[in-house]
């Protein structure tokens, strides 16, 4: 769909005059392009490069179409900015009035009315965000069209930078979310739990991670705050509804911790030092995350203790001892139980740092919004936005160990290859529910809404390490070649090699003619990425960012068998047993096909030998055996082709990490139906033949209906009975495995 038509369809009717005049700007570009075509060579047309403050421009001099385009473009920017500021002020006023009314609200009817008003304000805010996104996209589209039609005066790169500094683009309205969250909490009558103290803390809970498109972050926030308040642990560190979080992860030169966490080895650990808020760290959290196998009934654990920043380096170097740590905790009035737990964790983490030769390796930085009912961790959410990963040891400068630091010197510049910016937000749903209890219904609705995409065992530490240290990693996470994050990974790639001298000479010769052409810079290549993405985790979106519905099924035999070719299935972590299970299923189908084929071949051989006999009894039994064989043999051939088709399709899906929807849902049912039909046909033919033999008088006839023929049939069926008894055993195993073999 053309963007101009899409913009008209997505406009809010009452705001129609406030949107970007995309058609008018496009007409100005066409006029400017037509003016340029009237000149023989636009690049050589005369244009004065100097001016004078005392020389006036002639009043009759008409502005060029391109000048009119830029004036109109700037006017559109100011128009949108004025409208956004007016709408924001209106929302703020309505929200503050609602807050005052909620403080004195009495009775359920009044509270319900205020809740409806709060939801209406939330809807208005989302509509305003959609308005901003549509216009922002429109400016990108029109500037791209300008540079395409007027290549001699490119302006997109410059003007996008100018656009980014506009208040309606840079505006931070998270304060409105905090106020709206407080109103919802007040109207719900939330009861907040008390905080639980302790020097050493350990959390046992299940965590599921989701990717959220930036354009859908506000929608997800709105759904959460309607049911759960924003949790602000320390108001000094919060900016709006979020706080800045820095985490320095430790590893060694062999990336032992990275590979352990990637492979999810039992007992694999991640060590990090975290601090909250902008500026230099003051209070540091020393944290250790330990992976445990959930299928064994164990849960992963996060443990941590705190240290003042000046004591972090002495601790890492072994100069700050456990006994000194205990003394400091006693001076703070901590209980002996808390001191013992914290000192034990203190010693264990230091031993792991010392024995594994761990050092600061990579940092993750993001703005975190927390949603929680006070200090009750039964159900909680964290939403991380503006996520980036940075090399902790700068390139071309002394490492942290040499500089005597535990984190990167903030005064040093960060090169493009030292940082990668993640394009999506990451939502974590953390549940600490009693055994067998389901999460609330609204949480399940959010999981199934299509706004969030589950990414199994997603890790910021793993992603950043893989992208920034591609030459050191031995394995990479499955999501690394997802198409939605590919551009962000390429942005961190090293510059492509410069073209050789002979290539430059050839380029100069090819440009000897004065035809204007655009220089094509070589695209950067990242060692982890191929020429095209092989994975699509997030559902495809329309131009506005709304998730498109999943397309089920394909055409032909794949569609008949129910083999869905959709690329947006939720991938799971793949293990070697997944491939082996697919192979076992294939061999089971082949075993059944070979059994049926062998029975059919043996029956045909028996029938051929019986036809040589002059006895009518043998001739009659031969015809009956041929009928049975001709029913079973095509069935065996069909099963072979089916097994090969499903095996190839399933392996391709596994290679594309589409492990959630590789089960065959219709194929086993179809084959079971064919087998039942074949056996039913054999049964009916046998019954008809038996009835004919019984109904005909005399016992010396020469046909299939004679008693002699019946006796021959009995003899032949006795010889066939033994191989036919193998059919149930041959059919049972693949019919069961065919539907679930790929997901074992």
């Amino acid at each position: 769909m053309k963007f101009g038509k899409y913009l008209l369809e997505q406009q809010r009717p009452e705001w129609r005059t406030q949107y970007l005049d995309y058609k008018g700007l496009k007409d100005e570009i066409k006029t400017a392009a037509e003016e340029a075509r009237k000149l023989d060579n636009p690049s050589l047309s005369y244009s004065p490069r100097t001016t004078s403050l005392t020389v006036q421009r002639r009043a009759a001099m008409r502005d060029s179409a391109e000048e009119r385009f830029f004036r109109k473009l700037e006017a559109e920017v100011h128009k949108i900015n004025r409208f956004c500021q007016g709408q924001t002020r209106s929302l703020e006023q309505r929200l503050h009035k609602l807050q005052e009314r909620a403080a004195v609200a009495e009775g359920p009817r009044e509270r319900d009315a205020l809740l409806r008003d709060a939801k209406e304000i939330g809807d208005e805010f989302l509509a305003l965000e959609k308005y901003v996104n549509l216009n922002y996209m429109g400016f990108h589209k029109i500037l791209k069209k300008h540079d395409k039609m007027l290549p001699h005066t490119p302006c997109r790169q410059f003007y996008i930078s100018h656009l980014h500094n506009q208040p309606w683009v840079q505006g931070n309205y998270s304060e409105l979310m905090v106020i709206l969250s407080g109103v919802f909490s007040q109207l719900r009558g939330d009861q907040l739990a008390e905080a639980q103290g302790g020097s050493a803390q350990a959390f046992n809970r299940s965590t599921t991670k989701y990717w959220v498109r930036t354009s859908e972050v506000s929608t997800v926030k709105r759904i959460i705050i309607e049911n759960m308040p924003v949790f602000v642990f320390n108001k000094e560190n919060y900016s709006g509804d979020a706080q800045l979080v820095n985490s320095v992860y430790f590893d060694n030169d062999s990336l032992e911790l990275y590979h352990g966490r990637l492979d999810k080895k039992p007992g694999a650990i991640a060590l990090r030092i975290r601090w909250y808020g902008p500026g230099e760290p003051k209070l540091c959290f020393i944290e250790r995350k330990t992976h445990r196998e959930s299928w064994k009934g164990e849960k992963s654990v996060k443990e941590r203790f705190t240290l003042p920043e000046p004591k972090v380096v002495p601790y890492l170097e072994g100069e700050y001892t456990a006994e000194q740590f205990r003394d400091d905790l006693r001076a703070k009035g901590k209980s002996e139980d808390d001191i013992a737990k914290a000192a034990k964790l203190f010693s264990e983490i230091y031993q792991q740092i010392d024995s594994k030769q761990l050092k600061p390796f990579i940092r993750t930085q993001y703005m975190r919004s927390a949603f929680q009912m006070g200090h009750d961790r039964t159900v909680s959410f964290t939403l991380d936005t503006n996520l980036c990963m940075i090399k902790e040891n700068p390139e071309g400068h002394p490492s942290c160990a040499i500089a005597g630091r535990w984190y990167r010197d903030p005064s040093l510049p960060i090169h493009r290859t030292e940082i990668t910016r993640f394009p999506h937000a990451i939502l974590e749903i953390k549940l600490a529910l009693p055994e067998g209890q389901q999460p609330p219904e609204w949480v399940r609705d959010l999981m199934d809404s299509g706004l969030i995409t589950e990414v199994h065992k997603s890790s910021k530490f793993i992603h950043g390490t893989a992208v920034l240290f591609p030459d050191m990693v031995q394995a990479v996470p499955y999501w690394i070649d997802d198409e939605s994050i590919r551009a962000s990974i390429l942005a961190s790639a090293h510059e492509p090699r410069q073209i050789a001298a002979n290539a430059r000479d050839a380029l100069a010769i090819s440009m000897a003619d004065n035809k204007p052409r655009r220089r094509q810079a070589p695209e950067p290549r990242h060692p982890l990425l191929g020429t095209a993405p092989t994975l699509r985790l997030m559902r495809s979106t329309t131009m506005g960012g709304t998730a498109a519905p999943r397309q089920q099924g394909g055409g032909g035999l794949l569609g008949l068998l129910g083999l869905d070719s959709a690329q947006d299935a939720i991938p799971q972590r793949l293990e070697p047993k997944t491939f082996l299970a697919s192979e076992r299923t294939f061999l089971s189908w082949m075993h059944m096909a070979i059994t049926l084929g062998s029975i059919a071949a043996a029956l045909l051989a028996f029938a051929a030998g019986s036809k040589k006999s002059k006895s009518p009894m043998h001739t009659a039994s031969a015809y009956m055996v041929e009928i049975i064989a001709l029913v079973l043999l095509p069935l065996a051939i069909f099963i072979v082709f089916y097994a090969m088709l499903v095996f190839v399709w399933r392996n391709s899906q596994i290679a594309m990490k589409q492990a959630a929807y590789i089960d065959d849902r219709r194929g086993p049912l179809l084959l079971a139906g064919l087998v039942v039909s074949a056996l039913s046909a054999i049964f009916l033919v046998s019954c008809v033949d038996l009835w004919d033999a019984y109904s005909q008088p005399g016992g010396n006839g020469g046909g299939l209906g004679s008693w002699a023929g019946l006796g021959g049939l009995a003899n032949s069926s006795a010889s066939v009975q033994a191989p036919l008894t193998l059919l149930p055993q041959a059919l049972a195993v693949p019919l069961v495995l065919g539907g679930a073999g790929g997901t074992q």
Side-chain angles (χ1 to χ4, degrees):
M1 181 188 298
K2 296 291 185 180
F3 180 77
K5 183 179 179 181
Y6 175 80
L7 180 61
L8 291 175
E9 290 181 357
Q10 296 297 319
Q11 287 179 358
R12 195 174 185 180
E14 56 267 32
W15 295 352
R16 189 170 298 277
T17 59
Q18 302 299 328
Y19 285 86
L20 174 72
D21 186 7
Y22 186 80
K23 184 178 183 303
L25 290 170
K26 189 167 68 171
D27 291 341
E28 293 290 351
I29 292 176
K30 290 180 179 178
T31 305
E34 185 65 27
E35 288 182 359
R37 279 194 293 271
K38 291 179 180 179
L39 300 174
D40 294 334
N41 194 338
S43 62
L44 299 179
S45 61
Y46 175 73
S47 177
R49 299 296 192 269
T50 60
T51 187
S52 174
L53 297 178
T54 60
V55 176
Q56 293 184 345
R57 187 177 180 180
R58 289 180 297 174
M61 189 73 174
R62 186 172 62 88
D63 293 336
S64 68
E66 193 165 9
E67 289 176 318
R68 294 196 301 273
F69 165 78
F70 282 112
R71 278 205 301 271
K72 183 175 180 58
L73 188 69
E74 193 66 17
E76 293 294 308
V77 170
H78 291 302
K79 178 184 74 175
I80 294 170
N81 186 47
R82 287 193 302 271
F83 180 76
C84 285
Q85 289 179 349
Q87 290 295 317
T88 303
R89 285 194 297 269
S90 175
L91 287 175
E92 288 176 346
Q93 293 171 2
R94 292 174 58 189
L95 197 52
H96 285 298
K97 290 181 180 179
L98 182 63
Q99 193 177 23
E100 294 173 358
R101 293 168 57 195
V104 297
E106 295 180 359
R109 182 172 299 179
E110 186 178 359
R111 290 180 180 273
D112 290 342
L114 293 178
L115 275 174
R116 287 193 295 270
D117 291 343
K119 291 180 180 180
E120 184 180 344
I121 291 176
D123 292 338
E124 288 292 321
F125 180 80
L126 295 180
L128 180 61
E129 183 177 62
K130 182 179 180 181
Y131 167 86
V132 169
N133 284 329
L134 280 172
N135 287 287
Y136 185 70
M137 186 186 303
F139 279 108
H140 274 266
K141 294 284 186 181
I142 201 67
L143 290 170
K144 182 178 179 181
K145 184 177 290 292
H146 172 276
D147 287 5
K148 180 180 179 180
M149 299 185 69
L150 298 167
H152 299 287
T153 55
C155 68
R156 180 171 178 266
Q157 187 173 2
F158 159 75
Y159 208 88
I160 289 299
S161 299
H162 169 64
L163 197 64
H164 284 173
N165 294 322
Q166 297 301 313
W168 61 277
V169 177
Q170 286 288 338
N172 180 12
Y173 308 116
S174 57
E175 289 287 353
L176 296 179
M177 282 292 184
V178 176
I179 299 174
L180 188 60
S181 172
V183 171
F184 276 117
S185 180
Q186 194 172 18
L187 294 174
R188 287 193 305 264
D190 293 341
Q191 299 294 326
L192 304 184
E194 295 295 331
Q196 299 176 354
S199 300
Q201 304 171 31
F203 310 116
N204 292 296
R205 60 194 176 192
S206 62
T207 301
T208 310
K209 297 183 180 180
Y210 300 84
W211 288 0
V212 185
R213 295 185 186 276
T214 303
S215 59
E216 294 165 351
V217 166
S218 295
T219 306
V220 173
K221 281 186 180 182
R222 153 78 187 285
I223 294 173
I224 297 175
I225 65 175
E226 284 186 9
N227 300 275
M228 183 167 288
V230 175
F231 179 66
V232 179
F233 185 79
N234 186 349
K235 293 184 178 180
E236 295 180 358
N237 292 332
Y238 267 74
S239 173
D241 65 342
Q243 66 175 338
L244 180 65
V245 180
N246 285 274
S247 299
V248 175
Y249 286 86
F250 284 66
D251 211 334
N252 52 29
D253 291 332
S254 61
L255 300 184
E256 179 182 349
L257 270 58
Y258 165 84
H259 291 107
R261 297 290 295 184
L262 179 63
D263 296 335
K264 297 301 176 187
K265 297 177 181 177
I269 64 171
L271 293 180
R272 69 189 180 199
I273 301 179
R274 170 174 289 184
W275 74 95
Y276 299 92
E280 300 293 322
K282 296 178 181 178
L283 181 65
C284 301
F285 293 83
I286 317 298
E287 299 183 350
R288 179 180 67 184
K289 298 176 71 174
T290 306
H291 172 72
R292 294 175 182 171
E293 296 291 351
S294 58
W295 62 271
K296 293 182 179 179
E298 302 174 342
K299 292 185 178 180
S300 299
V301 177
K302 183 179 78 172
E303 305 164 288
R304 68 183 184 183
F305 64 91
T306 59
L307 279 181
E309 193 280 329
K311 296 183 179 179
V312 173
V313 172
Y315 168 64
L316 297 176
E317 295 178 353
E319 299 174 359
Y320 182 62
T321 64
E323 190 59 38
Q324 293 173 321
F325 180 62
R326 290 190 185 94
D327 293 339
D328 290 341
L329 292 181
R330 290 190 184 98
K332 295 179 181 179
K334 299 295 183 180
S335 66
E336 287 299 323
D337 288 341
D338 287 343
I339 293 174
K341 292 178 182 178
K344 182 175 180 293
L345 183 61
F346 179 99
S347 300
E348 288 178 356
I349 293 180
Y350 173 73
Q351 290 172 2
Q352 290 170 329
I353 292 175
D354 184 55
S355 62
K356 298 178 182 295
Q357 292 296 293
L358 303 179
K359 58 185 179 181
F361 209 79
I362 194 170
R363 183 192 305 189
T364 61
Q365 187 179 78
Y366 46 88
M367 297 296 294
R368 166 160 289 187
S369 300
F371 306 89
Q372 187 173 303
M373 199 68 70
H375 293 275
D376 179 11
R377 291 190 173 90
T378 304
V379 179
S380 60
F381 298 80
T382 59
L383 183 63
D384 301 333
T385 56
N386 297 328
L387 172 61
C388 65
M389 298 85 167
I390 308 168
K391 287 183 178 180
E392 204 59 37
N393 295 291
E395 297 175 356
H397 297 276
S399 64
C400 291
I402 296 176
R405 305 178 60 90
W406 63 270
Y407 65 97
R408 183 187 179 110
D409 186 351
S411 64
L412 296 177
I414 301 177
H415 190 261
R416 181 180 58 82
T417 58
E418 296 180 305
I419 184 172
T420 178
R421 302 182 187 277
F422 197 72
H424 307 309
I426 295 182
L427 175 70
E428 295 186 34
I429 301 180
K430 304 174 183 180
L431 303 174
L433 301 171
E435 189 70 26
Q437 183 176 338
Q438 294 293 324
E441 183 179 356
W442 70 270
V443 177
R444 298 196 299 270
D445 291 341
L446 176 61
M447 293 176 179
D448 299 333
S449 64
L451 297 171
I452 60 180
T453 301
E454 181 181 354
V455 181
H456 187 64
K457 298 300 182 183
S458 174
S459 169
K460 307 177 188 72
F461 165 57
I462 289 176
H463 180 82
T465 304
V467 173
L468 298 178
F469 299 93
D471 298 332
M472 297 178 63
V473 299
Q474 302 299 320
V476 296
Y478 66 87
W479 65 79
I480 202 70
D481 202 18
D482 177 66
E483 66 175 1
S484 67
I485 62 174
R486 186 179 180 87
S488 67
I489 297 176
L490 288 174
S492 303
H494 287 274
E495 295 288 347
R497 294 179 179 178
Q498 299 294 328
I499 57 176
N502 55 354
R504 288 198 300 268
D505 295 341
L507 183 62
I509 294 174
S510 65
M511 296 180 66
D513 54 354
N514 291 326
K515 294 181 180 180
R517 64 185 65 195
R518 302 171 68 180
R519 294 184 61 186
Q520 297 291 337
E523 295 183 356
R525 288 290 182 89
H526 197 279
L528 301 184
L529 302 181
T531 56
T534 60
L535 184 64
R536 188 171 70 197
L537 295 176
M538 309 192 81
R539 296 187 182 185
S540 58
T541 59
T542 61
M543 208 170 289
T546 304
R550 183 190 301 274
Q551 296 180 352
Q552 297 287 345
L557 185 56
L558 286 175
L560 177 64
L561 297 177
L563 304 182
D564 191 357
S565 59
Q567 298 295 315
D568 54 353
I570 299 173
Q572 303 294 327
R573 178 174 180 261
L574 299 182
E575 298 179 356
K577 65 180 182 181
T578 307
F579 297 90
L580 298 179
S582 176
E583 185 177 344
R584 285 197 304 271
T585 305
F586 172 70
L587 294 177
S588 298
W589 283 113
M590 294 299 295
H591 178 267
M592 185 184 72
I594 292 173
T595 301
L596 290 176
S598 300
I599 293 173
L603 292 177
L604 288 176
F606 172 80
S610 298
K611 284 183 177 180
K612 295 180 181 179
S613 174
K614 297 181 180 180
S615 171
M617 176 185 67
H618 289 168
T619 303
S621 63
Y623 285 125
M624 187 61 193
V625 169
E626 277 187 342
I627 292 174
I628 297 174
L630 292 177
V631 171
L632 295 179
L633 192 57
L635 180 61
I637 295 173
F638 180 80
I639 291 175
V640 170
F641 280 104
Y642 163 81
M644 293 177 60
L645 176 67
V646 174
F647 179 70
V648 173
W649 170 83
R650 183 171 286 153
N651 276 8
S652 65
Q653 294 296 94
I654 292 174
M656 295 171 63
K657 314 294 190 303
Q658 302 295 332
Y661 298 101
I662 62 173
D663 55 313
D664 188 358
R665 304 174 184 179
R666 301 178 190 171
L669 297 177
L670 176 63
L671 287 181
L674 291 177
V675 171
V676 171
S677 301
L679 296 180
S680 300
I682 294 172
F683 175 74
L684 290 176
V685 170
S686 300
C687 289
V688 170
D689 184 72
L690 180 63
W691 175 258
D692 289 343
Y694 179 76
S695 61
Q696 289 184 7
N700 296 323
L704 282 175
S706 66
W707 289 107
L710 183 60
L713 178 60
N715 293 334
S716 65
S717 64
S719 62
V720 176
Q721 183 178 4
L724 286 180
T725 56
L726 298 175
L727 285 178
Q729 300 176 359
L731 294 175
V733 174
L735 285 176
V736 173
L737 291 179
T743 56
Q744 293 181 13

